[in-house]
C-alpha cells in the first residue's frame, strides 16, 4: 500500500467504505494510517502524482473547510458517450450511475481546505478525500459531509 510519497503505513487505521471515482474515472481508495514519526521518514515522491507535500495537524482541517464553485467542462453529450462506452464493460454499473448523475450538473461545489503552504490550498480529489475521511472519523462529533450542490 505504498503511497505517492513512497511511504508504507506502519498501521492502517481505516479506509473509506467505497472508492471515490475521479474525473479520470479511476477508483480512488482513501485510507488513513500511522506512518511513524515524520522526522524519521525518507520520502520518495512520485513527480507525476505529487506537486508538493507538507504535514498539518488534523484539528486545523476539521475546522477550516471552505468551498469553491466549478463549472462542468464536459457537455452532456460527452458524458452520455462516456457512459455508453462504460456500459460495454462488465462490472462498471457504479461508474455509469456516477457518470449519468454528473452529466446533469452544470455547476458543482467542491470542498477546499487551507494548507500549510501560503496561497496553495488543498483542492480537487485530495480535498474531497480529506473531507470524506474527516466525516468518517468525526461525524459523531457533528462534522457534516460536503454536499456538491
Amino acid at each position: 500500500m505504498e503511497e505517492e510519497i513512497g511511504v508504507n503505513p506502519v498501521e492502517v487505521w481505516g479506509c473509506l467504505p467505497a472508492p471515490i471515482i475521479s474525473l479520470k474515472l479511476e477508483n480512488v481508495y482513501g485510507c488513513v494510517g500511522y506512518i511513524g514519526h515524520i522526522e524519521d521518514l525518507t520520502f520518495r515522491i512520485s513527480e507525476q502524482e505529487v506537486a508538493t507535500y507538507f504535514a498539518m495537524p488534523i484539528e486545523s482541517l476539521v475546522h477550516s473547510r471552505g468551498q469553491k464553485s466549478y463549472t462542468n467542462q464536459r457537455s452532456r453529450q460527452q458524458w452520455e458517450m462516456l457512459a455508453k462506452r462504460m456500459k460495454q464493460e462488465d462490472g462498471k454499473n457504479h461508474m455509469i450511475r456516477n457518470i449519468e448523475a454528473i452529466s446533469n450538473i452544470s455547476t458543482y461545489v467542491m470542498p477546499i481546505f487551507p494548507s500549510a503552504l501560503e496561497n496553495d490550498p488543498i483542492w480537487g480529489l485530495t480535498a474531497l478525500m480529506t473531507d470524506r475521511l474527516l466525516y468518517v472519523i468525526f461525524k459523531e462529533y457533528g462534522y457534516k459531509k460536503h454536499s456538491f450542490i
Side-chain angles (χ1 to χ4, degrees), residues 22-80:
S22 74
L23 289 177
K24 296 177 185 175
L25 299 178
E26 298 170 333
N27 288 334
V28 181
Y29 296 87
C31 296
V32 175
Y34 178 66
I35 60 174
H37 294 285
I38 203 161
E39 308 84 31
D40 299 335
L41 297 173
T42 301
F43 295 98
R44 291 179 307 282
I45 304 301
S46 168
E47 293 179 14
Q48 294 82 21
E49 297 283 336
V50 178
T52 188
Y53 64 99
F54 53 87
M56 285 183 68
I58 197 166
E59 297 88 15
S60 63
L61 294 170
V62 171
H63 300 293
S64 66
R65 179 183 69 195
Q67 60 186 32
K68 183 173 179 175
S69 295
Y70 294 90
T71 302
N72 194 343
Q73 297 295 320
R74 293 186 181 185
S75 70
R76 183 175 172 81
Q77 184 179 16
Q78 287 174 309
W79 284 111
E80 287 171 353

